[in-house]
Amino acid sequence: MSVSSAVTAVAKTAVGNRRPVLATRRARTVSFAVAVVAVGLLAAAVSPAEPTELAFANVFWRGALAAVTAYLAGTARRWTWFVPAGVAAPIVGNGLALVCAALAIGIGLWSVVTDTRSRARGALVGGLGCVALLRADPIAFHGFTALLTAAAIAPVAISGYRNAGRRAQARLRKIAGIVGGILALIIGGAVLGLVSVSRDLTRGASLIDDGIVAARDADDDLAGERLQQAARHLTSADATLTSWFVTPARIVPVLGPNLDAVESLARETGDVAQISAAAADVADVDQLRFVGGRLDLQAVTDMIEPLEDTVDALEGLSNTVDRTDSPWLVAPMADRIEQVESQLDDASPDARLALDAVRLAPELLGGSGPKRYLVLFVTPVEARGRIGFPGNYAELLFENGQMSMPRFGRILELEQQGVPGPQRQLSQPPDYVARYSRFDVAETWRNLTMGADFPSVAVAIRDLYPQSGGQPIDGVMAIDPVGLAALLRYTGPVEVPGHPEPLTEENAARFLELDQYVDFTDVSQRIDVLETVARTTFDRLTSADLPSPSDVSAHLDPVVDGGHIQIVPFDPTAYVMFEGYHLTGSLAGGSSDPGEEVVGVTTSNAGASKIDLFLERGLRYDLTWDPDQGQVTGTITALLHNTAPSSGLPNYVIGNSLGLPLGTNRSYVSIYTRHDATAMRVDGQPVPTQSETEAQHNVYSTFVTIPPGGTVIVELDVAGTVEGDRLQVDVAQQPLVWPEQAEVNVTVAGGADLEIGGEAEAELNDRTAHWAGPMDRRRTLVVEAG
């Protein structure tokens, strides 16, 4: 027989007419005892309430509360019986709770109608009402349901005690005193333990923070020292918190979850600190340096095991945080949990990426055989899709960690060497080939970089390079003048014949983007200068002593974020890692979720000049989103302003191959979106829309002519669907001489509460999420309607 069946049987007995079997005092006492035990067992079995972190303790407290309520209801005034069930009935939403409340009210009403009562009947009414309350779903703030339950059973408890006999009252006081004394001793032990470890906990947490800062600063010695000290403090705290005089407090409601959280965090954080300290000693980041153009691959391999231990420890701590993040935690403990979660959110991805890096580095750097990478030196002054116009190229070769540059040349050589242009075969990626074949990309390397998705361009280069006189390659790198200038920090200044001062990190970008065209009017001389700068920089790089990875990362992060250095390895695992570092220049930015909108504009120079030095662009995306219907409509606006003069500069800068007046910019404009276009306009006039796909995006293109000092506005109306209550807008960038100025406005229909997030620092104005700023890196705006 189930517990609920037993309760029903007792209820039938209790509400029936007085029968001889219940006529004796002993029978009534047994019936009362059965009712008390039955509702206690029922509450223990069916209530989801978890006031502690221990399953057996939760069962005990649930059963005890219902049994005590039933016991006191046996002597309570009859009107108080109805309070627990009456409070429960309107707030419970599940069948069993409603059945318990209904039974309680029905038995109580029968007692009123027949003007009879018994302790068993009272126990059933009060106990079943308590069971119903213990199954109530949370409402309002956390703990409100518990307070409501306490308030509902209080009249029963008070009345039951007052109406009990003197002997019963004395017995209740004695039991309460014993239980209270035991709880006082248990709580006292917990308080003593917490007070004694408070210094160790505080000091340990502080030392971990110091260790993390030191690790990010690549000071491994200091990081190891601080983490070892933290481990000692936290291990000592863990020993105290698991001692005999503290452990019993875990069965105490509310106190138990907080104590468990403190002990679990102390134990797991101590383990992480100890493992991380060992990793800092063994995996010395300072060893990971190119010395004379060579990286010691054995030193890299030696770091794999300690980094694996660190990642495992961080994942263990993350699981512990998830487990201990109880809603019963008091504010200081909850705040600490939140702080640890934030630290894990920062540290865990970095640790996993570091582990992926040391696992892949030996293979990528020629540990198991030579690895060859093609480098394109590009410039945005003649715009081409994602990376710019390629002028020179180089091969980087890695053999057992040693870097060399066996080949360097002009991009024109790749058009003239190898298989004759018309005979070259290019089939991958299919959407890239379909879109750009009309620009003769298989024959004309100068047009090969028109794609907005650098991984697609890299795949095309992989197939085309061996047909152009090169060898098979393992990846492609693109670097523009800003990226090349950043590398001069590691290679030293470059002397340029005919230029009054050497090129440095501070002035190289301006020289490569502008000054060279003014200082060297002879085209052949200028090309020689460009080759000298690029060749010298990379030749020195292959024999340079580079600083620690953290120093290089800190210096190059803004350059990489700006898209000035992009790398696509063809190893699938390595590609995922490089995508995590935002190095691949993909249009999707690592997102393949069709529910996330990606919007971007690219321009490609159609006049064979360097006039994009004077191109200033703006992008505006106005979007309306109806979460209830899942519909979005919007307009993408691209503003192109040409500041080029009509005279005073060489023709190859402000001229064109189309016979247009000097200073005229002729561009191929492409707008990327995952939605469908409904109309396209140039300066307010409808134009035919060329609709294609590229890298799983819709792309709509047109040619525009911008006179010197003029502005052209291209508008694209779009419509589509977004599932769910979350909208993400990724704004893709095209690295330009002057960063594009962008603005995103998302207006949300309906009355749902809105939250905004993402990498863009957006603001919420009424029902519109707004962000505006320079596209010096990829931007993301997230709007949630809940």
mmCIF file of all heavy atoms in Angstrom, residues 3 7 32-43 63 67 70:
data_model
loop_
_atom_site.group_PDB
_atom_site.id
_atom_site.type_symbol
_atom_site.label_atom_id
_atom_site.label_comp_id
_atom_site.label_asym_id
_atom_site.label_seq_id
_atom_site.Cartn_x
_atom_site.Cartn_y
_atom_site.Cartn_z
ATOM 1 N N VAL A 3 1.937 5.386 0.410
ATOM 2 C CA VAL A 3 1.721 6.324 1.522
ATOM 3 C C VAL A 3 0.403 7.054 1.356
ATOM 4 O O VAL A 3 -0.374 7.222 2.298
ATOM 5 C CB VAL A 3 2.893 7.321 1.601
ATOM 6 C CG1 VAL A 3 2.611 8.376 2.663
ATOM 7 C CG2 VAL A 3 4.196 6.584 1.903
ATOM 8 N N VAL A 7 -2.929 7.177 3.817
ATOM 9 C CA VAL A 7 -3.553 8.402 4.325
ATOM 10 C C VAL A 7 -5.036 8.404 4.026
ATOM 11 O O VAL A 7 -5.873 8.763 4.859
ATOM 12 C CB VAL A 7 -2.869 9.642 3.702
ATOM 13 C CG1 VAL A 7 -3.641 10.903 4.070
ATOM 14 C CG2 VAL A 7 -1.443 9.743 4.180
ATOM 15 N N PHE A 32 -4.609 8.353 16.017
ATOM 16 C CA PHE A 32 -3.907 9.638 15.988
ATOM 17 C C PHE A 32 -2.452 9.445 15.581
ATOM 18 O O PHE A 32 -1.905 10.176 14.727
ATOM 19 C CB PHE A 32 -4.023 10.300 17.361
ATOM 20 C CG PHE A 32 -3.185 11.550 17.509
ATOM 21 C CD1 PHE A 32 -3.411 12.659 16.704
ATOM 22 C CD2 PHE A 32 -2.176 11.620 18.467
ATOM 23 C CE1 PHE A 32 -2.653 13.812 16.850
ATOM 24 C CE2 PHE A 32 -1.419 12.769 18.612
ATOM 25 C CZ PHE A 32 -1.652 13.862 17.806
ATOM 26 N N ALA A 33 -1.810 8.431 16.180
ATOM 27 C CA ALA A 33 -0.399 8.179 15.874
ATOM 28 C C ALA A 33 -0.219 7.796 14.409
ATOM 29 O O ALA A 33 0.720 8.241 13.738
ATOM 30 C CB ALA A 33 0.144 7.083 16.786
ATOM 31 N N VAL A 34 -1.135 6.958 13.904
ATOM 32 C CA VAL A 34 -1.059 6.550 12.504
ATOM 33 C C VAL A 34 -1.204 7.761 11.584
ATOM 34 O O VAL A 34 -0.484 7.902 10.587
ATOM 35 C CB VAL A 34 -2.129 5.492 12.193
ATOM 36 C CG1 VAL A 34 -2.224 5.244 10.678
ATOM 37 C CG2 VAL A 34 -1.810 4.196 12.903
ATOM 38 N N ALA A 35 -2.137 8.663 11.915
ATOM 39 C CA ALA A 35 -2.330 9.861 11.101
ATOM 40 C C ALA A 35 -1.086 10.736 11.095
ATOM 41 O O ALA A 35 -0.659 11.243 10.044
ATOM 42 C CB ALA A 35 -3.542 10.646 11.620
ATOM 43 N N VAL A 36 -0.479 10.935 12.267
ATOM 44 C CA VAL A 36 0.735 11.768 12.358
ATOM 45 C C VAL A 36 1.862 11.163 11.532
ATOM 46 O O VAL A 36 2.539 11.843 10.752
ATOM 47 C CB VAL A 36 1.152 11.936 13.839
ATOM 48 C CG1 VAL A 36 2.537 12.586 13.915
ATOM 49 C CG2 VAL A 36 0.140 12.768 14.581
ATOM 50 N N VAL A 37 2.071 9.850 11.701
ATOM 51 C CA VAL A 37 3.157 9.189 10.977
ATOM 52 C C VAL A 37 2.889 9.198 9.472
ATOM 53 O O VAL A 37 3.801 9.425 8.659
ATOM 54 C CB VAL A 37 3.342 7.749 11.487
ATOM 55 C CG1 VAL A 37 4.322 6.980 10.599
ATOM 56 C CG2 VAL A 37 3.823 7.749 12.926
ATOM 57 N N ALA A 38 1.634 8.969 9.082
ATOM 58 C CA ALA A 38 1.295 8.892 7.663
ATOM 59 C C ALA A 38 1.572 10.202 6.946
ATOM 60 O O ALA A 38 2.165 10.225 5.856
ATOM 61 C CB ALA A 38 -0.162 8.487 7.493
ATOM 62 N N VAL A 39 1.128 11.337 7.514
ATOM 63 C CA VAL A 39 1.369 12.614 6.831
ATOM 64 C C VAL A 39 2.852 12.964 6.841
ATOM 65 O O VAL A 39 3.370 13.590 5.908
ATOM 66 C CB VAL A 39 0.534 13.746 7.454
ATOM 67 C CG1 VAL A 39 -0.948 13.501 7.239
ATOM 68 C CG2 VAL A 39 0.833 13.945 8.922
ATOM 69 N N GLY A 40 3.563 12.553 7.901
ATOM 70 C CA GLY A 40 5.009 12.775 7.922
ATOM 71 C C GLY A 40 5.708 12.028 6.808
ATOM 72 O O GLY A 40 6.572 12.577 6.104
ATOM 73 N N LEU A 41 5.325 10.748 6.640
ATOM 74 C CA LEU A 41 5.914 9.956 5.564
ATOM 75 C C LEU A 41 5.531 10.505 4.195
ATOM 76 O O LEU A 41 6.352 10.524 3.259
ATOM 77 C CB LEU A 41 5.460 8.496 5.689
ATOM 78 C CG LEU A 41 6.007 7.718 6.889
ATOM 79 C CD1 LEU A 41 5.363 6.339 6.952
ATOM 80 C CD2 LEU A 41 7.530 7.599 6.798
ATOM 81 N N LEU A 42 4.291 10.957 4.065
ATOM 82 C CA LEU A 42 3.848 11.514 2.790
ATOM 83 C C LEU A 42 4.664 12.755 2.430
ATOM 84 O O LEU A 42 5.119 12.909 1.289
ATOM 85 C CB LEU A 42 2.358 11.847 2.861
ATOM 86 C CG LEU A 42 1.746 12.416 1.570
ATOM 87 C CD1 LEU A 42 1.817 11.390 0.447
ATOM 88 C CD2 LEU A 42 0.302 12.859 1.807
ATOM 89 N N ALA A 43 4.840 13.657 3.400
ATOM 90 C CA ALA A 43 5.633 14.868 3.140
ATOM 91 C C ALA A 43 7.072 14.525 2.782
ATOM 92 O O ALA A 43 7.667 15.118 1.868
ATOM 93 C CB ALA A 43 5.597 15.788 4.361
ATOM 94 N N GLY A 63 9.559 15.573 6.568
ATOM 95 C CA GLY A 63 8.679 14.698 7.343
ATOM 96 C C GLY A 63 8.437 15.230 8.736
ATOM 97 O O GLY A 63 7.307 15.168 9.250
ATOM 98 N N ALA A 67 4.858 16.143 10.355
ATOM 99 C CA ALA A 67 4.436 15.348 11.513
ATOM 100 C C ALA A 67 4.181 16.223 12.733
ATOM 101 O O ALA A 67 3.186 16.030 13.459
ATOM 102 C CB ALA A 67 5.506 14.302 11.823
ATOM 103 N N ALA A 70 0.945 18.058 12.223
ATOM 104 C CA ALA A 70 -0.184 17.139 12.439
ATOM 105 C C ALA A 70 -0.386 16.866 13.922
ATOM 106 O O ALA A 70 -1.532 16.832 14.412
ATOM 107 C CB ALA A 70 0.077 15.834 11.682
#
